[in-house]
């Protein structure tokens, strides 16, 4: 159990809940079994036959089982087939576990593990089974569901014998009674051995509360601790840099930008550090909001640093900030404004002289604003008075990196985290629960709509031909285009060839599309230059190019000297070329929903409408195509992030952002349990406000210690 399911203690096993329950009356529909997943089904044997193949040298046993609706084939090879044939007699019922595959379009389990249920002679066992809900546990090939179930029986029996004294209940009694939740021992009994469906509902309601509440208490304690830290209040001086900047803006801020700026300025004016998450759709003007916050801090005598995940992005931010500020970014220089400040760039690939000058400007305080990559975090970098750290694209920065930058201030600086990946409210409350959240959901005037279409390359090859025609039309109209591929295509990057399956398996169209290596930038660029886009100026851009070469390509693309840029997802964040109006994403099914939405945000940034074409070879009925259909159907990033989350299960989302949070959520689903999470957050805040050290709630402290082992505690502390 420890090796294959990561269950090390009796507590781990008790919290390894059944995935679902089988009933005699309504079994899993065999027709709905998901391919490639490990499943346990309850079904009846219809027939069992031995077949010979390979000119009689090999033989296999094929068993057909049914649940009354669908059918499933079980296949066994080798010498043991006659043993299985004796067991698997038509008419008998059993539990069968294995990985679902297909052969000639029939779903099958190859060499499944199985346990026959109540033989005909054993009427009482059959009766007991008939009345019972059978718990089916998340299992694996080495540990079938029924073995886990037998182990749980042993643990439950010993718990009953000791009166459940080993179980610590984390919920304060007043909260539990006020919310009408069952005690923890009862919840554990009911989740593992329910007598009726209402038992399962009672247990789930209780166990979800435990998870939500303990996690929210951990986050509430973080917020409480942060609010005790000292910070320098930064109030912008009237008639200073910020006012001068606002006066020269050629457009008016959106209502959303004003509202979010006001929230940020309020935070900056307090004497404990701001911790705010700024979410905004691609192109909603987050950089403008962040820049105004940075200028406010400079006005108040401090320095502001913006941390970007890549050199390309750092250079781009630096360029757009200096362009927006004009002479205000040339403080102390000839022709610079008297109220101006210096805006410096600091990246790893800078020349020695430029780097030395940038470091000097930081330590003297000459530079009020610095934009950089993680080069900003190195020991050599010192600030005169760091007041604000802006982190762009949160999920690309390790916690340690943010921590190192924060330690550069004499007192903890204020922190603003920006992300263009829309995060549903509940995920924000769970993953970034220690940050206050601001949302920019209005696009600035003048942004054009983006039309998105799915191009089914396999079913309708002429659609793909038309896609390249559309790209040529955009270029003929004076615009530019991106073509995005999942892979670079130099050898280091080539995927391992999968070994061919045995002659027993035929693959479906979906498998074939999955099996083919993803399309690569270098190959696609060459094909396009020779074929459908011959005569156009086609260039490539990917992460393994030298920084100078990358910048040169981006500069030429931005200057309009390149018609079509064939790239990997390096263009996903922040590349801003208003003249690019079309994007073709190859093998679009290989990208996540939110990632497609991010990529799409790179076109239609000017006054001309944008076009995004999602090319896929997946068959029409596949889940991958449904996902692409969802992206094509809406431009609302929050709606798409919900879909993304429902499909990926929140494990991945939480796992990315907070190591360890994922493993603590077994019952709670971040999307469906919004009300529980919101209520738990309120209860947790009240509990922590009344008793920050939890001195009167030792059981809750124990549960917190279990959730936050040493590593996770440090992880949360570093924020």
């Amino acid at each position: 159990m420890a090796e294959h399911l990561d269950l090390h203690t009796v507590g781990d096993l008790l919290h390894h809940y059944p995935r679902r329950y089988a009933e005699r009356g309504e079994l899993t529909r065999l027709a709905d079994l998901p391919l490639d997943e490990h499943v346990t089904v309850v079904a009846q044997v219809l027939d069992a036959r031995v077949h010979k193949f390979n000119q009689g040298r090999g033989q296999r046993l094929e068993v057909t089982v049914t649940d009354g609706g669908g059918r499933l084939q079980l296949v066994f090879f080798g010498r043991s087939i006659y043993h299985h044939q004796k067991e698997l007699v038509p008419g008998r019922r059993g539990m069968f576990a294995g990985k679902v595959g297909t052969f000639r379009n029939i779903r099958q389990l190859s060499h499944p593990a199985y346990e026959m249920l109540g033989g005909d002679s054993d009427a009482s066992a059959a009766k007991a089974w008939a009345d019972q809900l059978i718990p089916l546990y998340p299992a694996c090939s080495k540990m079938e569901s029924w073995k886990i179930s037998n182990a749980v029986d042993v643990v439950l029996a010993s718990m009953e014998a000791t009166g459940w004294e080993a179980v610590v209940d984390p919920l304060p009694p007043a909260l539990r009674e006020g919310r009408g939740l069952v005690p923890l021992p009862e919840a554990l009994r009911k989740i593992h051995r329910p007598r009726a469906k209402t038992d399962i509902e009672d247990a789930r309601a209780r166990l979800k509360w435990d998870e939500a509440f303990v996690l929210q208490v951990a986050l509430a304690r973080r917020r409480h601790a942060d609010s005790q830290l000292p910070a320098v209040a930064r109030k912008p001086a009237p008639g200073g840099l910020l006012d001068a900047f606002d006066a020269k803006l050629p457009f008016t801020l959106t209502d959303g930008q004003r509202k979010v700026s006001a929230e940020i300025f309020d935070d900056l004016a307090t004497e404990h550090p701001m911790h705010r998450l700024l979410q905004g759709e691609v192109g909603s003007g987050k950089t403008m909001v962040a820049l105004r916050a940075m200028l406010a801090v400079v006005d108040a005598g401090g320095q502001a640093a913006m941390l970007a995940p890549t050199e390309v992005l750092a250079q781009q931010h630096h360029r757009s900030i200096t362009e927006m500020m004009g002479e205000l970014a040339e403080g102390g220089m000839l022709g610079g404004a008297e109220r101006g400040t210096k805006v410096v760039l600091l990246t790893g690939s800078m020349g020695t002289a430029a780097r030395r000058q940038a470091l000097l400007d930081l330590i003297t305080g000459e530079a009020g604003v610095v934009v950089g990559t993680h080069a900003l975090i190195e020991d050599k970098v010192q600030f005169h008075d760091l007041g604000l750290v802006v982190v762009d694209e949160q999920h690309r920065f390790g916690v340690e990196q943010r921590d190192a930058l924060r330690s550069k201030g004499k007192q903890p600086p204020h922190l603003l985290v920006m992300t263009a990946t829309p995060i549903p409210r509940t995920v924000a409350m769970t993953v970034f629960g220690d940050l206050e959240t601001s949302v920019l959901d209005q696009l600035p005037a003048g942004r054009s709509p983006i039309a998105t279409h799915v191009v089914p390359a396999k079913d309708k090859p002429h659609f793909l031909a038309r896609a390249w025609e559309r790209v040529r039309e955009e270029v003929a109209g004076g615009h530019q285009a991106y073509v995005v591929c999942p892979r670079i295509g130099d050898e280091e990057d080539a995927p391992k060839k999968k070994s061919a399956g045995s002659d027993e398996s035929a693959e479906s169209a979906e498998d074939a599309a999955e099996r083919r290596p993803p399309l690569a930038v270098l190959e696609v660029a060459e094909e396009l230059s020779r074929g459908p886009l011959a005569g156009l100026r086609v260039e490539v851009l990917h992460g393994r190019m030298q920084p100078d070469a990358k910048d040169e390509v981006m500069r030429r693309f931005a200057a309009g000297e390149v018609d079509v840029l064939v790239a990997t997802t390096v263009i996903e964040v922040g590349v801003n070329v208003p003249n690019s109006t079309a994007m073709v994403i190859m093998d679009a099914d290989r990208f996540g929903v939110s990632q497609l939405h991010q990529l799409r945000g790179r076109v239609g940034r000017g006054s001309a409408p944008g076009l995004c074409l999602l090319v896929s070879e997946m068959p029409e009925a596949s889940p991958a195509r449904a996902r692409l259909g969802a992206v094509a159907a809406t431009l609302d990033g929050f709606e798409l992030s919900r879909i993304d989350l429902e499909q990926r299960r929140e494990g991945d989302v939480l796992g990315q952002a907070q190591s360890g949070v994922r493993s603590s959520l077994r019952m709670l689903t971040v999307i469906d349990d919004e009300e529980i999470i919101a209520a738990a957050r309120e209860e947790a805040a009240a509990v922590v406000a009344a008793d920050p050290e939890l001195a009167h709630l030792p059981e809750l402290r124990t549960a917190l210690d279990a959730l936050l082992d040493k590593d996770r505690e440090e992880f949360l502390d570093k924020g």
Side-chain angles (χ1 to χ4, degrees):
M1 284 187 177
E3 189 181 341
H4 293 289
L5 295 169
D6 201 22
L7 304 177
H8 302 270
T9 65
V10 165
D12 290 343
L13 180 59
L14 281 176
H15 291 295
H16 187 71
Y17 309 127
R19 183 183 303 225
R20 56 191 182 81
Y21 302 85
E23 288 178 273
R24 193 161 202 166
E26 49 113 63
L27 298 166
T28 343
R29 295 190 30 191
L30 295 181
D32 297 342
L33 289 179
L35 278 176
D36 272 347
E37 278 199 23
H38 208 89
V39 300
T40 303
V41 297
V42 181
Q44 184 169 19
V45 178
L46 270 183
D47 66 22
R49 297 187 184 149
V50 175
H51 295 270
K52 290 198 169 11
F53 60 91
N54 209 355
Q55 282 110 27
R57 288 199 290 277
Q59 47 189 8
R60 67 176 181 266
L61 172 65
E62 283 182 10
V63 180
T64 307
V65 297
T66 178
D67 58 1
R71 292 183 173 200
L72 178 68
Q73 201 172 57
L74 316 177
V75 190
F76 300 89
F77 296 96
R79 296 204 181 120
S80 60
I81 61 173
Y82 294 106
H83 161 73
H84 297 307
Q85 195 179 15
K86 280 196 196 100
E87 290 279 311
L88 299 167
V89 179
R92 286 194 68 186
R93 304 179 71 86
M95 293 168 75
F96 304 95
K99 196 171 181 187
V100 184
T102 57
F103 177 52
R104 294 186 185 137
N105 281 344
I106 298 170
R107 298 197 173 219
Q108 69 171 26
L109 301 182
S110 182
H111 278 279
Y114 58 86
E115 175 126 305
M116 302 315 287
L117 294 161
D120 305 329
S121 55
D122 189 351
S124 62
K127 170 82 183 85
W129 180 71
D131 296 341
Q132 201 185 358
L133 287 158
I134 301 179
L136 297 177
Y137 289 89
C140 62
S141 55
K142 299 280 189 293
M143 232 15 237
E144 291 91 8
S145 173
W146 50 88
K147 288 187 187 163
I148 298 169
S149 188
N150 294 341
V152 170
D153 281 338
V154 174
V155 172
L156 289 176
S158 76
M159 285 289 177
E160 294 290 355
T162 58
W164 292 85
E165 64 187 13
V167 171
V168 177
D169 192 332
L171 291 193
L175 189 160
R176 194 186 75 226
E177 285 149 23
R179 297 264 170 195
L181 300 167
V182 300
L184 187 54
E186 189 183 329
L188 291 169
R189 199 182 303 118
K190 285 180 166 176
I191 198 77
H192 289 289
R193 295 298 172 261
R195 295 211 170 87
K197 285 191 169 164
T198 50
D199 283 359
I200 303 170
E201 283 159 27
D202 289 351
R204 281 198 169 138
R206 164 63 215 249
L207 295 166
K208 282 179 174 184
W209 252 96
D210 282 14
E211 290 178 10
F213 180 69
V214 174
L215 185 56
Q216 291 300 340
V217 166
L219 294 166
R221 292 186 70 205
R222 286 276 326 273
R223 288 196 300 276
H224 181 269
D226 285 342
S227 70
Q228 306 301 307
L229 288 172
V232 179
R234 310 278 178 176
K235 296 189 176 109
L241 186 57
L242 178 62
D243 288 350
F245 175 74
D246 283 350
K248 66 191 282 298
L249 276 183
F251 51 82
T252 50
L253 297 174
T254 64
D255 296 344
Q257 285 174 319
R258 284 180 206 288
K259 180 175 115 326
V260 170
S261 287
E263 291 171 351
I264 292 171
F265 291 154
D266 287 350
D267 283 358
L268 290 174
T270 60
E271 293 190 342
H272 57 83
M274 162 172 84
H275 285 116
R276 191 167 279 281
L277 172 69
L278 172 58
Q279 301 187 51
E281 282 284 13
V282 173
S284 57
K286 292 184 300 299
T287 313
M288 173 60 70
V289 169
L291 177 56
R292 292 185 73 238
M294 290 160 81
L295 297 180
V297 168
V298 175
D299 266 350
Q303 289 170 295
M306 180 185 260
L307 206 54
T310 63
E311 295 215 351
V312 170
L313 203 52
Q315 283 157 339
Q316 186 154 329
H317 276 316
H318 180 255
R319 206 165 36 236
S320 64
I321 285 173
T322 45
E323 279 167 13
M324 283 195 273
M325 286 175 65
E327 72 276 13
L328 295 174
E330 297 164 1
M333 291 189 249
L334 272 176
E338 58 184 286
R339 280 171 305 194
T341 185
K342 249 188 185 182
V343 179
V344 302
L345 175 70
L346 190 62
T347 64
S349 65
M350 280 167 75
T352 321
R355 187 180 170 81
R356 191 175 298 132
Q357 183 59 50
L359 291 172
L360 192 64
D361 289 342
L362 285 183
I363 199 161
T364 57
E366 192 89 356
V369 175
V370 57
V371 182
T373 54
H374 44 246
L376 277 178
I377 300 167
E378 291 171 13
D379 295 340
K380 293 198 276 296
V381 180
Q382 290 177 350
F383 290 85
H384 177 64
D385 178 15
L386 180 61
L388 170 67
V389 175
V390 179
V391 178
D392 188 19
E393 288 301 329
Q394 150 97 7
H395 57 282
R396 296 180 176 236
F397 269 110
V399 172
E400 289 72 23
Q401 293 169 309
R402 290 208 303 276
D403 193 37
L405 189 57
R406 264 164 55 178
S407 66
K408 302 265 182 200
K410 299 190 174 67
Q411 285 188 324
H414 299 281
L415 176 70
L416 178 66
V417 171
M418 300 197 295
T419 175
T421 311
I423 304 165
R425 177 170 157 259
T426 41
V427 180
M429 283 194 296
T430 312
V431 179
F432 304 111
D434 54 315
L435 300 171
E436 300 300 324
T437 307
S438 297
V439 178
L440 273 178
D441 47 12
Q442 231 181 324
L443 286 185
R447 286 299 297 266
S448 315
I450 304 170
T452 309
H453 305 284
V454 179
V455 178
K458 213 167 186 67
D459 313 349
K460 301 180 177 164
H462 58 286
F463 276 39
L464 183 57
R466 175 72 189 118
W468 300 127
E469 279 172 27
R470 281 293 290 113
V471 170
R472 294 193 82 99
E473 286 163 17
E474 290 297 317
V475 173
H479 297 298
Q480 292 160 280
Y482 296 101
V483 177
V484 181
C485 306
R487 196 162 69 83
I488 297 175
D490 45 14
E491 288 329 302
E492 193 182 331
D493 188 65
K496 310 273 179 287
K497 290 273 188 292
K498 295 204 179 169
S499 60
S502 69
D503 57 359
E504 291 297 307
S505 73
E507 57 182 12
S508 66
E510 202 167 335
D511 294 341
E514 276 285 351
R515 191 119 325 149
R516 172 176 70 60
L519 291 169
V521 166
L522 301 175
E523 294 153 18
V524 168
E526 195 178 328
E527 279 173 34
L528 291 175
S529 308
R530 285 207 312 258
L533 302 185
L536 300 186
R537 296 168 298 178
V538 177
E539 296 260 350
V540 299
L541 179 70
H542 58 74
R544 253 193 237 122
M545 288 163 62
Q546 290 300 320
D548 306 351
K550 265 194 281 206
D551 296 339
E552 177 57 16
V553 171
M554 269 321 299
R555 187 196 61 70
R556 292 186 30 236
F557 187 62
E561 296 162 21
V562 174
D563 299 321
V564 179
L565 189 61
V566 183
T568 54
T569 54
V570 289
I571 62 160
E572 176 188 353
V573 280
V575 172
N576 186 15
V577 180
N579 190 44
S580 54
T581 52
M583 176 177 286
V584 181
I585 302 179
M586 308 302 291
D587 278 344
D589 46 87
R590 311 263 179 154
F591 299 97
V593 169
S594 295
Q595 198 175 24
L596 290 170
H597 181 60
Q598 287 281 86
L599 285 166
R600 164 171 70 184
R602 302 290 124 223
V603 295
R605 297 175 78 90
S607 50
L611 171 70
C612 178
L613 301 173
L614 308 173
V615 179
S616 171
E617 293 192 356
M618 285 302 199
E620 199 163 348
S622 62
R625 274 284 287 280
R627 220 169 50 225
L628 297 181
V631 176
T634 177
L635 287 171
D636 179 345
F638 285 92
E639 177 53 34
L640 287 173
S641 68
R642 279 189 88 89
I643 294 168
D644 198 15
L645 210 61
E646 281 162 6
Q647 290 183 332
R648 293 194 319 189
R649 296 200 291 275
E650 34 289 306
D652 312 345
V653 177
L654 298 174
Q656 272 180 356
Q658 296 281 30
S659 87
V661 170
R662 175 182 53 182
S663 52
S664 68
L665 296 191
R666 297 184 173 91
M667 185 63 79
L668 197 68
T669 57
V670 173
I671 283 287
D672 300 336
D673 297 321
E674 188 162 341
E675 285 159 26
I676 294 177
I677 292 171
R681 184 179 166 106
E682 274 173 38
E683 294 275 10
V687 164
V688 171
D691 180 5
E693 292 306 310
L694 307 178
H696 304 294
L697 297 166
E699 295 85 0
L700 179 54
R701 271 222 68 106
T702 307
L704 261 185
D705 294 341
L707 170 72
L708 302 173
D709 54 31
K710 198 76 202 100
D711 296 348
R712 279 185 223 161
E713 181 81 88
E714 277 177 13
F715 189 96
L716 279 170
D717 279 347
K718 287 178 177 170

